[in-house]
Amino acid sequence: MISDRHPLRRQLDKLRAMAAAGKPVDAPLQQLEGAMARSAERLRQRLERLPTPEYPEELPVSGKRTDIAAAVAANQVVIVCGETGSGKTTQLPKICLELKRGAAGLIGHTQPR
């Protein structure tokens, strides 16, 4: 999970420092392994519970879903322009969810308003 990334990194850094200092690392290593396993299990469960989005065909964004999904998968930042009422606000998060984005964290969506 994304929320576990920094705490796990701190545990790993602490473990490395202990090993470099010649201190025993068995117990901290087991703690780190357990924390990583719990994080991976939470992600697996979230992926299993992801809903299957439905797209109203009358919205123009729904018709461009494949193109938008390919752009989101291939790029770190995607800007989508369209008319008011085209489905940008409601359908783009669904497209991201379908790509399994947000399973390990959140889906952020901004608008110029």
Side-chain angles (χ1 to χ4, degrees):
M1 299 288 297
I2 288 176
S3 62
D4 297 330
R5 188 174 294 167
H6 293 295
L8 290 173
R9 170 65 69 181
R10 281 193 301 272
Q11 280 184 294
L12 180 59
D13 290 343
K14 183 179 176 182
L15 187 66
R16 285 181 177 153
M18 290 174 68
K23 295 182 180 176
V25 294
D26 293 341
L29 180 58
Q30 286 180 349
Q31 289 176 347
L32 178 59
E33 289 172 343
M36 291 174 65
R38 287 187 298 277
S39 181
E41 178 60 20
R42 282 198 344 257
L43 176 59
R44 186 193 64 74
Q45 288 175 358
R46 283 184 73 161
L47 285 168
E48 284 179 355
R49 292 190 310 253
L50 284 179
T52 303
E54 294 182 11
Y55 301 92
E57 292 303 320
E58 64 271 8
L59 295 175
V61 168
S62 296
K64 294 290 187 180
R65 180 177 73 192
T66 305
D67 297 333
I68 294 169
V72 169
N75 298 284
Q76 187 174 7
V77 176
V78 176
I79 299 172
V80 178
C81 297
E83 296 294 322
T84 300
S86 63
K88 299 179 303 293
T89 301
T90 58
Q91 305 311 301
L92 288 175
K94 291 182 189 179
I95 293 169
C96 291
L97 187 64
E98 196 170 41
L99 291 171
K100 309 271 188 270
R101 302 290 174 101
L106 300 172
I107 295 172
H109 186 236
T110 63
Q111 300 178 58
R113 289 195 178 133

